[in-house]
Amino acid sequence: MTFASILCVIDGGSGSEGGLATAFVVARKFNAYLEVLHVEPNPEDTIPLVGEGMSGVLVEQVSADLRANAERAAKEARRLFDAECATFDIQPQDADGYQEAGKFVTAWRHIVGREDQETARRGLLFDLIVVQRPSSEADGAYAPALEAGLFETGRPVMVAPPSRVSALGKHIVIAWRATREASEAVTGALPLLAAAAEVTVLSLREGHGQEDDPRALVRFLGLHGVEARCKIVEPRDGAGTSLLAEASEVGADLLVMGAYGHSRLREFVLGGVTRGVLTSAAIPVLMAH
């Protein structure tokens, strides 16, 4: 069980460094091919959304501003990529270059287009997708790479915190519910689970006396050579807060859970618990839908 190929999507913003650091740590851990993708938005795709009723001069000015911002973000994304390669003492290269199975190689891909479309198209051929954490400023925050990764690729998606991580996967907590989403997340995380020193299966007591029995998952993991312990806890201050509190209490450095919600055009929509965990977690979160 391994991750042979990892796709990391960054936008050049404040969360890019955390996303890169997380992706590099995982890629080095599994000697994987890591491709870092930056999709520079095309102002011509944006102007029709805001240009109605605007004068030609104003449209040109807005277009110029959008293009300048996009170019700055692209330069910053590339600068961060080169810096991360230097930190890991690895030679950067352009995508579609040298690859070798079982060797830690990093590559850069810069495309002009739409981030959701490119993530959905390219993510199909990677074992894991790493994205930046979505903004917590609004419930409807648009997170194109995360949404496309979860809803359109069928691949596990690791959401990186804004802060850098130097290691992960030593102690993994699984937030278990007997659902397809949670099962897909566990399956996607098996390479990490197999390499972990500790695994805790966490189930929240729902209050109706029929909480999901985490021992069933412990037995399943045992068949894969993963030794795990289980814990059932009473939720406090909401399910998402409880999950993060328990993960912190046991010293976990990775949380595995299902992503619950539905996709809508150009809008990031996930359930309250999922969204709360994503926007607050200080550790990487591996999810599947």
Side-chain angles (χ1 to χ4, degrees):
M1 292 182 290
T2 190
F3 293 129
S5 59
I6 299 170
L7 177 67
C8 175
V9 187
I10 60 170
D11 62 11
S14 58
S16 294
E17 185 175 5
L20 280 169
T22 299
F24 269 71
V25 165
V26 179
R28 183 177 63 176
K29 184 182 185 76
F30 291 97
N31 288 319
Y33 168 71
L34 170 62
E35 183 168 305
V36 177
L37 171 66
H38 174 74
V39 183
E40 181 179 339
N42 187 343
E44 294 180 1
D45 293 336
T46 307
I47 286 298
L49 301 176
V50 298
E52 186 176 352
M54 297 168 60
S55 67
V57 174
L58 187 55
V59 167
E60 289 181 6
Q61 181 60 55
V62 171
S63 179
D65 290 344
L66 290 171
R67 185 172 291 105
N69 289 337
E71 290 175 354
R72 280 194 294 269
K75 289 179 180 179
E76 177 63 5
R78 180 60 198 242
R79 184 191 72 79
L80 290 170
F81 171 72
D82 289 340
E84 203 66 33
C85 287
T87 297
F88 282 78
D89 193 25
I90 187 170
Q91 184 66 34
Q93 66 175 31
D94 290 331
D96 299 325
Y98 168 79
Q99 297 180 34
E100 181 179 333
K103 186 170 184 179
F104 178 26
V105 176
T106 62
W108 169 260
R109 187 182 297 276
H110 175 209
I111 297 173
V112 176
R114 286 184 49 176
E115 189 176 270
D116 55 348
Q117 292 179 347
E118 294 299 332
T119 301
R121 183 165 67 92
R122 299 185 180 278
L124 294 170
L125 297 178
F126 286 84
D127 298 321
L128 175 70
I129 301 171
V130 179
V131 301
Q132 304 168 211
R133 195 172 82 180
S135 169
S136 60
E137 294 177 357
D139 287 345
Y142 181 41
L146 173 58
E147 180 180 336
L150 283 175
F151 292 102
E152 299 183 44
T153 69
R155 296 295 191 260
V157 177
M158 184 176 291
V159 183
S163 57
R164 295 182 62 87
V165 299
S166 57
L168 63 83
K170 182 178 180 181
H171 188 168
I172 302 175
V173 164
I174 301 172
W176 178 243
R177 293 173 61 187
T179 63
R180 179 181 59 82
E181 291 86 350
S183 177
E184 291 282 358
V186 170
T187 300
L190 277 175
L192 285 157
L193 293 167
E198 294 183 74
V199 176
T200 300
V201 178
L202 181 65
S203 181
L204 297 181
R205 195 183 302 278
E206 299 294 341
H208 47 60
Q210 295 181 345
E211 63 274 355
D212 299 314
D213 185 356
R215 292 173 296 183
L217 179 59
V218 169
R219 291 191 291 270
F220 167 82
L221 292 173
L223 295 174
H224 289 272
V226 177
E227 184 177 344
R229 65 187 182 95
C230 60
K231 186 177 182 182
I232 300 176
V233 299
E234 297 283 352
R236 54 184 189 271
D237 299 325
T241 300
S242 298
L243 289 175
L244 294 178
E246 290 293 333
S248 177
E249 187 174 305
V250 301
D253 55 15
L254 177 67
L255 176 64
V256 174
M257 63 180 291
Y260 304 99
H262 303 280
S263 176
R264 283 205 308 236
L265 181 63
R266 296 190 62 81
E267 187 176 359
F268 170 57
V269 179
L270 286 172
V273 174
T274 305
R275 188 168 57 246
V277 169
L278 284 179
T279 56
S280 303
I283 58 176
V285 181
L286 189 147
M287 312 184 104
H289 179 75

